Amino acid sequence: MKQRKVTAALVGNPNTGKSTFFNAWTGLHQVTGNWPGVTVEKLLGEIDLPGGDQMTLVDLPGIYSLHAVSEDERVASEYARGGEADLIINIVDAVNLERNLYLTLALMELGKPMVMVLSMTDILERQGFKVEMGALAERLGIPVVSANIQRRASRQTLERAVQEALATKQRQVRVVYPESLNQAFLKAWREGEPEVRAVHRLEGIIPGAEAVIASVEAVLGTTPDVLIADARYDKIAELTRGIVKQVARARTEFGRTLDRFVLNRWLGIPIFLGIMYLLFWFTQVVGGCFIDFFDVLGDTVFVSGLGNVLTLCHAPDWVVTLLADGLGTGVQTVMTFIPPVFFIFLGLSLLEDSGYMARAAYVVDRFMRLLGLPGSAFVPMLVGFGCTVPAIMATRTLSNRRDRLLTIFMAPFMSCGARLPVYALFGAAFFGLASGTMVFAIYLSGILLAVFTGVLLKHTLFVGDPAPFILELPLYHIPRVGTVFKQAWERLRHFVFRAGKVMALMVLLLSVCDKITVPNFYAPECENAAPISIVEMGGRALAPVFTPMGVERENWQGSVALIIGLFAKEQVVSALNTLYAIETTAGTEGQLTASTSELASETDSLPDEIAPESVPTWATTRAAFAEGIVNAFATIPEAVAGLLGTMLDPLGVSIFASEYEQAVKVMETLARADRSVEQRAAGLAKLDAVLGMESLHTALAEATVTRDAIAQQVVQNPELQSSLDAANATLEDVVTQLRHASELRRFAMALAEQTGGNEALVAAFKDKVEAYYRDSMSAELESDASLMETLRTKFDHDKNRAFAYLLFVLLYVPCLAAMATVVREIGWGYGMILFSYLTILGWCVATLYFQITTGHTLTWVVTPCAILAAVAAVFYAIGRKTKVKLVV
């Protein structure tokens, strides 16, 4: 017998267990991709049927009818109505049989062989009911089997039903439509095409019968699609009469009891916020435990490791720069996003498979509708506070293109964790103990501007009605481990191999620009001025643009840091540190007079073992590679050890509510009234806990042991000198922290001895706390006092200048990783509109804030307002010209 290759379309309503059935039947024989021209995932599975036939099973997105209202539904409808599939396998929820049969009857009209697969039969049985599958199959004229194919016998029954449907002429049931539509069908029908095409035209599924529909509505007072639907539901009532029978007493429905709390008017929001908080913690904190692992691993393999190998192979410098520093850094950047992206999709899959996600959308839908978005758009917004990349990826769960576009435009306003080091640096330098208030103001500014953007775009660029809110509350399930991990893996793979490619290329381009140097045109009076990179030249050229927002031309390092921040926002800190240090070392701009030959001679005079850049050998390369791998794995237990301590602070904002601020509160309470010896002792014990004295002493002992052990090894193996330097640096940091904490504790003990509320001592304690706070922040940021002082000098000791700069950091284009993800999701056209809008809005908001608070220049108050008005006008014009369709 000749073997055949057939294609079957797996079609069904959403939340009917279609994906579970698909995974169970196809196993590991699956291929994923995207449908041509859209971002909807395409999932194929290969199945070997008895007799040698091979079937390709196409898993289509869930649909309620062939009338599409979203991009996903359009894909499913067009494929089902097309001629590519030889067979339709219809998944039907036995618990909601009548509603699911509406799609079944519509599919039968296509005239293709069909097999019905009943899912959720176990849940129906728990409710005390059973479907008579034999009787239903006889009435429908197609095979009806169970979706539970874990047992071999059930799988064989399904495969025989498929072969029977393909081999025999089915006598499927037909719907009889009212005679009042006969003339309409004739007018909508085209000669030589199937009759079902006329039905689809009258339903509005395909165009071509608008005039006929209008005439029917004028005569009958209703549209043809309503009459067609009524006829189908009449047929469904006839088909299901006596099919579902009660066979036992219904068991307690746990889901209904749970919904009384989850969907409660007063309890629903707190429960939702609690679950979202856990999702955020799971994504950013638990997922964040593995970021350092991928970062160190990426550097070891693709940057330093690849660079050393290329150097040893005598590759030209430009090849090393291109492959290791450029492409290698790009791959490393992509790798650091693997944990948050995987964990956000793992968390979303857990919520989806449990049945809660639809309920979450229902709870917050009313609020989100004010912005023209469905309730499910809240999740990407929340995730954006941790990382913009998974937030943008999470918009794929939204049903239509307009909702995805609007959500992606709003997601970057949620301040991601990468900006926290920048806030911390400026907080320590300018705001002291008010840093917590400052960072709250930044986060609040982002939220308010996101709302402003949503309202603006709703009425200009993305004019149109939001997607119809048709919500089905699926039954609660215990999440299935295999399904959850498979969904998360597929989405992660899509990110790595699609958005990751664009991201790596963008990082490569910026890395190369940062390596290419040009003559320093900004110091022409200095013959031997060191050359500058293209990035630095661009930053200097843009410096005048930032003057209205308080960044003077002399502070060109601030504009250069913004460009370098495109790699990752936290790079703004290291860029400022490096650029300010170079200027400080050189004295003033234009005084870099050391010649290249002098620098070379100084380098040559150094001993080989302390030369700044020793030439790698194969031995040192192998040792460094092994050490890098060990260090990468060592980061995981260190990060996991601190998980529980982050439960109350997943954003990491505790860096602003530091131990010193907590110490102030403890000691103020202790010193403002008479206290007993026991109360003072309790207060000091609480202070010890706040300062982490026990953990600091433990860290000191461990760092000392580590340093001494490595020092002994260096005697035998000098190649470990870099490890000894790192151990010494770690020990020095611990000693510094312990010294600060100890001195503060001694001062607190003296304060605790005073009674009666000595206000002078309390004030002195506050001053001392703030001084130590700034020193500690400098240590945490790997900065020193000179950076803090230089930063304050460059920003004229003005908090308003600093805050305006932070507003721009919050608002201007996100990092390269986020930009690459945006381009992959919505294309270059809307991507460039978003990047331009963010940068323009950032400049306008920062300029307005600075000019209103400090600058007081009327021109620079009016100009940003005019620019924002012009942007709104452009958006309105584009929106009128190009309507964003729900289905594209």
Short mmCIF file of all heavy atoms in Angstrom, two decimals, residues 822-823 826-837:
data_model
loop_
_atom_site.label_atom_id
_atom_site.label_comp_id
_atom_site.label_asym_id
_atom_site.label_seq_id
_atom_site.Cartn_x
_atom_site.Cartn_y
_atom_site.Cartn_z
N VAL A 822 11.95 45.48 20.42
CA VAL A 822 10.87 46.30 19.85
C VAL A 822 10.82 46.14 18.34
O VAL A 822 9.74 45.95 17.75
CB VAL A 822 11.08 47.79 20.23
CG1 VAL A 822 10.16 48.68 19.40
CG2 VAL A 822 10.81 48.00 21.71
N VAL A 823 11.98 46.21 17.70
CA VAL A 823 12.02 46.10 16.23
C VAL A 823 11.49 44.74 15.78
O VAL A 823 10.74 44.65 14.80
CB VAL A 823 13.46 46.32 15.74
CG1 VAL A 823 13.58 45.98 14.25
CG2 VAL A 823 13.87 47.78 15.96
N ILE A 826 7.43 44.91 16.43
CA ILE A 826 6.54 45.84 15.72
C ILE A 826 7.16 46.43 14.46
O ILE A 826 6.52 47.22 13.78
CB ILE A 826 6.09 46.99 16.65
CG1 ILE A 826 7.28 47.85 17.10
CG2 ILE A 826 5.36 46.44 17.85
CD1 ILE A 826 6.87 49.02 17.97
N GLY A 827 8.40 46.05 14.13
CA GLY A 827 9.02 46.52 12.90
C GLY A 827 9.75 47.84 13.07
O GLY A 827 9.62 48.53 14.08
N TRP A 828 10.52 48.20 12.04
CA TRP A 828 11.35 49.41 12.10
C TRP A 828 10.49 50.67 12.07
O TRP A 828 10.85 51.69 12.67
CB TRP A 828 12.33 49.43 10.93
CG TRP A 828 13.54 48.59 11.16
CD1 TRP A 828 13.83 47.38 10.61
CD2 TRP A 828 14.65 48.90 12.03
NE1 TRP A 828 15.04 46.91 11.07
CE2 TRP A 828 15.56 47.83 11.94
CE3 TRP A 828 14.95 49.97 12.87
CZ2 TRP A 828 16.76 47.80 12.65
CZ3 TRP A 828 16.13 49.94 13.60
CH2 TRP A 828 17.02 48.87 13.47
N GLY A 829 9.37 50.66 11.35
CA GLY A 829 8.56 51.87 11.22
C GLY A 829 8.07 52.38 12.56
O GLY A 829 8.42 53.49 13.00
N TYR A 830 7.25 51.58 13.24
CA TYR A 830 6.76 51.98 14.55
C TYR A 830 7.89 52.02 15.58
O TYR A 830 7.84 52.78 16.55
CB TYR A 830 5.65 51.03 15.01
CG TYR A 830 4.30 51.35 14.43
CD1 TYR A 830 3.67 50.46 13.57
CD2 TYR A 830 3.67 52.56 14.71
CE1 TYR A 830 2.43 50.75 13.02
CE2 TYR A 830 2.44 52.86 14.16
CZ TYR A 830 1.82 51.95 13.32
OH TYR A 830 0.60 52.25 12.77
N GLY A 831 8.92 51.19 15.38
CA GLY A 831 10.06 51.22 16.29
C GLY A 831 10.74 52.57 16.30
O GLY A 831 11.05 53.13 17.36
N MET A 832 10.99 53.13 15.12
CA MET A 832 11.64 54.44 15.04
C MET A 832 10.74 55.54 15.60
O MET A 832 11.22 56.50 16.20
CB MET A 832 12.02 54.75 13.59
CG MET A 832 13.10 53.84 13.02
SD MET A 832 14.59 53.78 14.06
CE MET A 832 15.13 55.49 14.00
N ILE A 833 9.43 55.40 15.41
CA ILE A 833 8.51 56.38 16.00
C ILE A 833 8.62 56.33 17.52
O ILE A 833 8.67 57.37 18.20
CB ILE A 833 7.06 56.09 15.55
CG1 ILE A 833 6.91 56.39 14.05
CG2 ILE A 833 6.07 56.93 16.35
CD1 ILE A 833 5.53 56.05 13.50
N LEU A 834 8.67 55.12 18.08
CA LEU A 834 8.78 54.98 19.53
C LEU A 834 10.09 55.56 20.05
O LEU A 834 10.11 56.32 21.03
CB LEU A 834 8.66 53.51 19.92
CG LEU A 834 8.92 53.18 21.40
CD1 LEU A 834 7.97 53.94 22.30
CD2 LEU A 834 8.82 51.67 21.65
N PHE A 835 11.22 55.21 19.40
CA PHE A 835 12.51 55.70 19.87
C PHE A 835 12.59 57.21 19.80
O PHE A 835 13.10 57.87 20.72
CB PHE A 835 13.65 55.07 19.05
CG PHE A 835 13.63 53.56 19.03
CD1 PHE A 835 14.09 52.85 17.92
CD2 PHE A 835 13.13 52.85 20.10
CE1 PHE A 835 14.06 51.47 17.89
CE2 PHE A 835 13.09 51.45 20.08
CZ PHE A 835 13.56 50.77 18.98
N SER A 836 12.07 57.78 18.73
CA SER A 836 12.08 59.24 18.58
C SER A 836 11.20 59.89 19.64
O SER A 836 11.58 60.89 20.26
CB SER A 836 11.60 59.63 17.18
OG SER A 836 12.41 59.06 16.18
N TYR A 837 10.03 59.31 19.86
CA TYR A 837 9.10 59.88 20.84
C TYR A 837 9.70 59.85 22.24
O TYR A 837 9.61 60.85 22.99
CB TYR A 837 7.79 59.11 20.81
CG TYR A 837 6.84 59.49 21.93
CD1 TYR A 837 6.23 60.74 21.97
CD2 TYR A 837 6.58 58.59 22.96
CE1 TYR A 837 5.38 61.08 23.01
CE2 TYR A 837 5.73 58.93 24.00
CZ TYR A 837 5.13 60.17 24.03
OH TYR A 837 4.29 60.51 25.05
#
